[in-house]
Amino acid sequence: MVSEIFSNDRRRRGAIVRGWLVALGMIAAVGVLVLLLWLQGRAGAQARGEGSDTLLVYCAAGIKPVAEEAARDYLKEFHTTVQLQYGGSGTLLADMQVARVGDLFIAADASYIRIAREKGLVSQTVALAKQRPVIVVHKGNPKAVKGLADLQRPDVSVAMANPEAASVGRVAQKLLEKTGQWKELKQHVRVFKPTVNDVANDVKIDSVDAAIVWDSTGRQYPELELVHVPVLEAGVETVTIGVLVYAKHPERALAFANYLAQADRGQKLFAKYGYETVAGGAASRPATESTH
Amino acid sequence: MWHETDSAGAAVRGKSDWPFYCGLGLLTSVYLILIVTMLLAAGSYTTWGHLGAAFSSPAIRYSIRLSLLSCTLTTLLSLCVGVPTGYLLSRFRFPGIGVIDALLDVPIVLPPLVIGLCLLILFQTSPGRWLQGWVPITYAIPSVVLAQFTVSCAFAVRTMLVTFDQISPRCEQVALTLGCSRTQAFWTVALPEARRGILTAATLVWARSLGEFGPVLIFSGATRMRTEVLPTTVFLELSTGNIEAAVAVSLLMIVAAVVVLAITRAFGVRGHREFLP
């Protein structure tokens, strides 16, 4: 009896030691994982060539292909990493007010930069490129969409960007409100999405027949066909970059903004991805004022 | 056994049970067909070429590694907190326990986006800023783990609470009468008995973290090769219209989920059954 209790006691103590081993093992495993994550972060930073010079750029989702390539080139040329944060222009505007960090804001149209300036978020601005809303349909235009009237046909389903979140939605709303077509079209629109690319995707995978997107976005999709409409054409908007007041080194931020506006650098990329550049002949046409 | 109950029941009541079985089978198969066709449709949107291209992309490889590492760390941290919390709530009664119990459910009921926003705001307050002076959190890797942990830990707590509730405290009480301290009773009796519950909690937390997107998007951002986890990759590829790569990464996540489920089954744990509150 006594020996039984004794042996039990010993076994129990063995188990207690195992308990502490579990605890220690757990701490060690957490330590190892933290280390691995830290190394992962460093590897990522190295892959991006990141040094101490990093610019955080809030970038309208539609501009992503240009911004990504420009960031790569900029890193090669000036050893400054450009970190890109994507979203709809309106969404980003809200994000940066909460986060209160960042160096630059690329908006799909100048109005967001204006709002940012009014809120005291942006100091200098640089115009980058022009884009205008168009209707896009699947290649070959199977539903024969020729104009805005066709968008209201019962057999044509339509996607649009959310006017509160994305620039193209807001611009299209403004234009169509002037012609009195907005109310009807809004009823007919099957889905509103948060960014211009989400809308173009819907047409690409055939979940809708037509959508209103930027002409530049439409040109980036080989599966899509552009239908130009005079009412929408009037809505030329200027892709604009602004230096944020949160920037620790505003002069470095401005340098990247100017790089994007430089004819043989950023502008070449904008042209490559189907944008009308500001450096070209179109620069004389004032952007936002031409909206009648 | 099937035949026995069937014929016996039919003999006594004079009614066939077949319509009932057919109904059960039909309703189950509706859901099964939905799941299977959904997976097949996703699979049909990609080719081996697309898969190869996606997985040779350094950004996608980075996001795979980051996802695996962060989910595993989140799982360990969630267990460290979830096991003791579940034990505390299951074994002890004290004033305010109802409030604590309700608070621990908040991350489960809050919309994911709201959690992300709350975290983002938390780290802009002055204590948050002070902490960020030492370790960068917002828009950096620690924010990924923190975002996943905030949501997943609640699931670990819930699972462990149910697990300890189902284990009779009698064995621990016996251990106490035999001279164990509370600590010893926990380590030597309660914890080994809760093994299966811990495994369930771990797989649940891991799988849940792998799919966590809302809080990560808001709190960590969607920066390539930095805070890019697998759901972020799907989102980024979609936002440039690269649906094929998005589907390829989605398939990878589906495979990971299936593997986790298989591991859980192999250890004889029936998925979320023990989790049901």
Side-chain angles (χ1 to χ4, degrees), chain A residues 88-125:
Chain A
S89 300
T91 315
L92 292 174
L93 194 57
D95 283 355
M96 68 186 74
Q97 288 176 70
V98 178
R100 295 195 205 169
V101 288
D103 300 285
L104 291 153
F105 172 33
I106 305 179
D109 76 69
S111 68
Y112 289 97
I113 294 286
R114 216 161 35 235
I115 298 171
R117 201 197 276 277
E118 278 160 20
K119 295 194 177 207
L121 303 172
V122 155
S123 50
Q124 290 125 308
T125 63

Side-chain angles (χ1 to χ4, degrees), chain A residues 131-136 146-148 151 160 168-177 179 181-182 185 211-215 227-237 290-292:
Chain A
Q131 47 188 2
R132 55 194 83 207
V134 288
I135 298 174
V136 285
K146 297 269 183 293
L148 286 168
L151 293 187
M160 272 191 71
V168 69
R170 205 189 48 83
V171 172
Q173 176 182 6
K174 219 167 57 186
L175 292 169
L176 295 174
E177 267 172 353
T179 61
Q181 287 163 296
W182 173 246
L185 185 62
I212 297 180
V213 300
W214 294 120
D215 54 352
V227 179
H228 292 273
V229 184
V231 177
L232 296 177
E233 289 283 290
V236 178
E237 291 290 347
S290 69
T291 317
H292 299 295

Side-chain angles (χ1 to χ4, degrees), chain B residues 5-258:
Chain B
T5 49
D6 192 37
S7 56
V12 174
R13 295 190 306 272
K15 277 184 197 164
S16 170
D17 281 334
W18 279 110
F20 178 68
Y21 293 130
C22 288
L24 282 186
L26 196 72
L27 291 175
T28 312
S29 55
V30 166
Y31 192 39
L32 280 179
I33 289 170
L34 174 68
I35 296 173
V36 172
T37 49
M38 205 171 70
L39 296 183
L40 287 178
S44 74
Y45 214 90
T46 191
T47 61
W48 288 113
H50 287 138
L51 282 173
F55 296 135
S56 60
S57 139
I60 291 179
R61 283 195 191 171
Y62 177 92
S63 93
I64 292 173
R65 274 200 306 274
L66 181 61
S67 269
L68 295 182
L69 287 173
S70 64
C71 289
T72 312
L73 182 57
T74 302
T75 306
L76 290 182
L77 294 176
S78 297
L79 287 181
C80 287
V81 175
V83 173
T85 312
Y87 187 73
L88 178 76
L89 293 182
S90 170
R91 288 289 183 268
F92 305 99
R93 290 288 165 270
F94 48 88
I97 191 169
V99 179
I100 294 175
D101 196 40
L103 269 178
L104 286 168
D105 266 347
V106 166
I108 298 180
V109 251
L110 273 191
L113 286 174
V114 175
I115 292 178
L117 184 62
C118 294
L119 282 170
L120 193 59
I121 294 172
L122 172 66
F123 281 91
Q124 298 318 313
T125 58
S126 48
R129 279 164 174 279
W130 176 82
L131 191 65
Q132 293 219 60
W134 302 94
V135 192
I137 294 171
T138 308
Y139 300 149
I141 289 179
S143 69
V144 176
V145 177
L146 194 56
Q148 291 173 344
F149 173 81
T150 309
V151 181
S152 302
C153 190
F155 287 89
V157 170
R158 249 331 103 186
T159 312
M160 290 321 298
L161 174 58
V162 176
T163 303
F164 285 121
D165 274 348
Q166 283 171 349
I167 297 170
S168 165
R170 184 169 282 268
C171 285
E172 285 161 72
Q173 284 159 2
V174 170
L176 289 177
T177 62
L178 289 175
C180 265
S181 67
R182 264 284 169 197
T183 319
Q184 289 169 322
F186 173 76
W187 283 109
T188 56
V189 182
L191 208 57
E193 277 190 276
R195 244 185 348 245
R196 280 170 37 147
I198 294 174
L199 190 71
T200 312
T203 42
L204 191 62
V205 166
W206 197 87
R208 174 82 208 189
S209 317
L210 187 72
E212 206 59 70
F213 177 56
V216 174
L217 178 67
I218 306 284
F219 186 40
S220 315
T223 312
R224 284 243 117 136
M225 309 274 284
R226 191 192 191 105
T227 51
E228 181 182 2
V229 283
L230 288 172
T232 317
T233 307
V234 175
F235 169 75
L236 283 175
E237 295 300 341
L238 268 183
S239 69
T240 36
N242 193 355
I243 298 175
E244 292 80 7
V247 170
V249 176
S250 308
L251 286 178
L252 178 76
M253 290 174 69
I254 292 171
V255 170
V258 171

